[in-house]
Amino acid sequence: MSEPIRDPSRYRANVGLAVFSAAGHVFVGRRINGRGAFQWQLPQGGVDKGEAPHEAALRELEEEIGVAPKLVDILEETEDWLYYDFPTDLRKRMGGPYLGQRQKWFALRFRGSDSDVRLDKHTPEFDAWRWAHLSEIPDLIVPFKRPVYQEVAERFIQWTKPVKA
């Protein structure tokens, strides 16, 4: 089955971050004030007007998990945009022109220590975090984002190999 053709202007530009430890695990955060199951996700955020995706990725890294850009290496950026649609009820609550989000995903190698992760550095989006196996992430995320997380897990599998710190 082929992917539907989407009008990029109807999808908010966004970046997603797969932050890998030296052990090859990926950072997952638990959404603050989340309800129900599937509250764990990878950091993500919007691309500001005039901002390049890699600039947005490093800004979001610091805003969402308090990690300075100097503590990561960019390993990979997806060439294409990955899309997901908002569920109808969420789209109605949010309002606005967007049907969903289009995301550039980045694999980053974290070179810091766990104490460098500061969820309270900016307005908190996560209330807890942990390292997880990349293969776990599709089962942790809300169902409407799951196909994107499955794609990310497949594309970034090579970054799960442990590296010497």
Side-chain angles (χ1 to χ4, degrees):
M1 189 165 118
S2 65
E3 189 68 22
I5 296 174
R6 293 182 164 114
D7 176 357
S9 70
R10 300 292 315 270
Y11 291 81
R12 180 176 175 251
N14 190 280
V15 292
L17 313 174
V19 181
F20 290 93
S21 69
H25 298 115
V26 69
F27 173 100
V28 292
R30 187 176 65 196
R31 298 285 308 161
I32 201 164
N33 298 324
R35 298 183 309 270
F38 311 116
Q39 294 307 311
W40 293 87
Q41 71 173 52
L42 303 180
Q44 67 176 58
V47 177
D48 293 338
K49 185 175 177 137
E51 188 176 43
H54 76 276
E55 294 168 333
L58 295 175
R59 176 182 50 74
E60 289 293 338
L61 175 76
E62 195 154 18
E63 288 179 5
E64 292 210 357
I65 66 174
V67 170
K70 69 182 181 182
L71 294 177
V72 297
D73 295 317
I74 296 177
L75 303 170
E76 184 178 347
E77 172 185 347
T78 57
E79 279 189 39
D80 55 334
W81 294 87
L82 303 180
Y83 288 77
Y84 65 81
D85 292 312
F86 296 131
T88 304
D89 62 326
L90 177 60
R91 199 166 58 232
K92 285 179 183 174
R93 279 194 316 247
M94 291 172 50
Y98 299 115
L99 300 175
Q101 299 205 88
R102 58 187 173 98
Q103 297 181 307
K104 283 279 188 168
W105 277 87
F106 291 82
L108 307 170
R109 180 71 67 198
F110 181 54
R111 293 184 284 103
S113 64
D114 287 2
S115 63
D116 292 316
V117 175
R118 294 283 314 275
L119 301 181
D120 61 348
K121 195 167 182 185
H122 292 273
T123 303
E125 296 201 26
F126 301 119
D127 64 8
W129 73 277
R130 66 182 176 92
W131 295 110
H133 291 279
L134 185 62
S135 61
E136 289 178 70
I137 66 167
D139 293 332
L140 299 174
I141 193 64
V142 293
F144 70 91
K145 294 182 184 179
R146 192 163 293 146
V148 167
Y149 272 53
Q150 289 168 331
E151 185 72 24
V152 168
E154 289 173 18
R155 291 189 188 196
F156 289 167
I157 191 74
Q158 72 270 21
W159 306 118
T160 62
K161 294 181 180 86
V163 295
K164 293 191 193 268

